[in-house]
Amino acid sequence: MGIDVIFKIAGIGIVTAVINNILEKSDKKEIATLVTLAALVIVLSLVVNMLGDFFGTLKAMFNLY
Amino acid sequence: MLLKVIGVAFVTVVSYGVVKNVKPDLSVFLPMAAGAIILILLSDGIIRSIDSFRTIIEKSGVDERAYGAVLKIVGIGYITEFSANLCEDAGCSALAKKIELAGKITVLLTAMPIVTGVIDVIGDLM
């Protein structure tokens, strides 16, 4: 639990951009959009898990609901 | 602890800049992740301050319910402010206003029993 999550998200962003460029050069635009979608889903699940723990700690700390 | 938070914030700002012009649609997730990490870094400090407040409250003899409600309101305030600023950063400030409205209503609902309790006490005194 630290900065590695941020680096992971940045890395996924950069890798997707590179893959998109390659796919566009070899004129396979539809696969490029699929790659972007896949990256978005991966990062979304990563961040949603983190937000789940985040709200869990908050709930435990301030004994909300 | 503060330096760690500042370090995480700087790293996030740099990577946000990089990801923003490489892949704009993924750049929304970075502030979220940074917010979560910073809170987890601060969590032991917050817990310690809450416990010290609790000991003061016990000494002063105020009943536990009021303190619990105050703590809950502080928590609700923090969550609302966190997500409202996140939405504002992402560009949709209308959504941020909606979240703030929801936070205000939740705080009102949490504080209502305390207010009615105080009014009952005043009523009895009359």
Side-chain angles (χ1 to χ4, degrees):
Chain A
M1 183 47 68
I3 311 175
D4 54 349
V5 180
I6 293 183
F7 291 138
K8 225 180 274 182
I9 295 176
I12 290 178
I14 291 167
V15 164
T16 356
V18 168
I19 291 176
N20 275 3
N21 284 346
I22 295 169
L23 285 177
E24 265 145 31
K25 287 297 175 296
S26 59
D27 56 58
K28 288 203 171 40
K29 275 244 183 321
E30 58 285 353
I31 302 183
T33 46
L34 290 182
V35 166
T36 315
L37 213 61
L40 206 67
V41 165
I42 292 171
V43 172
L44 191 67
S45 66
L46 203 68
V47 171
V48 163
N49 286 338
M50 250 189 101
L51 281 182
D53 305 342
F54 166 61
F55 285 131
T57 19
L58 262 183
K59 206 168 65 166
M61 227 186 291
F62 293 106
N63 53 53
L64 298 165
Y65 51 92
Chain B
M1 182 175 63
L2 174 65
L3 292 184
K4 225 183 274 185
V5 169
I6 292 173
V8 169
F10 278 162
V11 165
T12 322
V13 165
V14 170
S15 44
Y16 182 76
V18 169
V19 172
K20 198 159 183 51
N21 47 39
V22 168
K23 200 80 176 113
D25 46 7
L26 284 189
S27 69
V28 181
F29 294 110
L30 277 169
M32 283 186 204
I37 292 175
I38 284 177
L39 179 98
I40 287 161
L41 286 178
L42 292 175
S43 56
D44 55 350
I46 293 176
I47 288 174
R48 251 188 284 128
S49 56
I50 287 175
D51 290 347
S52 55
F53 267 122
R54 176 161 289 136
T55 43
I56 294 169
I57 290 287
E58 268 145 22
K59 286 203 186 69
S60 71
V62 179
D63 68 343
E64 196 59 35
R65 257 179 329 99
Y67 177 64
V70 166
L71 207 58
K72 207 173 279 190
I73 287 173
V74 168
I76 291 171
Y78 176 69
I79 286 189
T80 325
E81 191 255 343
F82 171 79
S83 26
N85 289 343
L86 216 62
C87 292
E88 220 150 307
D89 277 356
C92 38
S93 61
L95 204 60
K97 295 288 180 290
K98 303 270 185 307
I99 293 177
E100 273 161 23
L101 176 67
K104 286 189 184 100
I105 290 173
T106 327
V107 166
L108 188 65
L109 288 181
T110 326
M112 199 46 78
I114 306 290
V115 172
T116 40
V118 166
I119 287 170
D120 294 346
V121 167
I122 292 171
D124 301 346
L125 288 181
M126 291 296 179

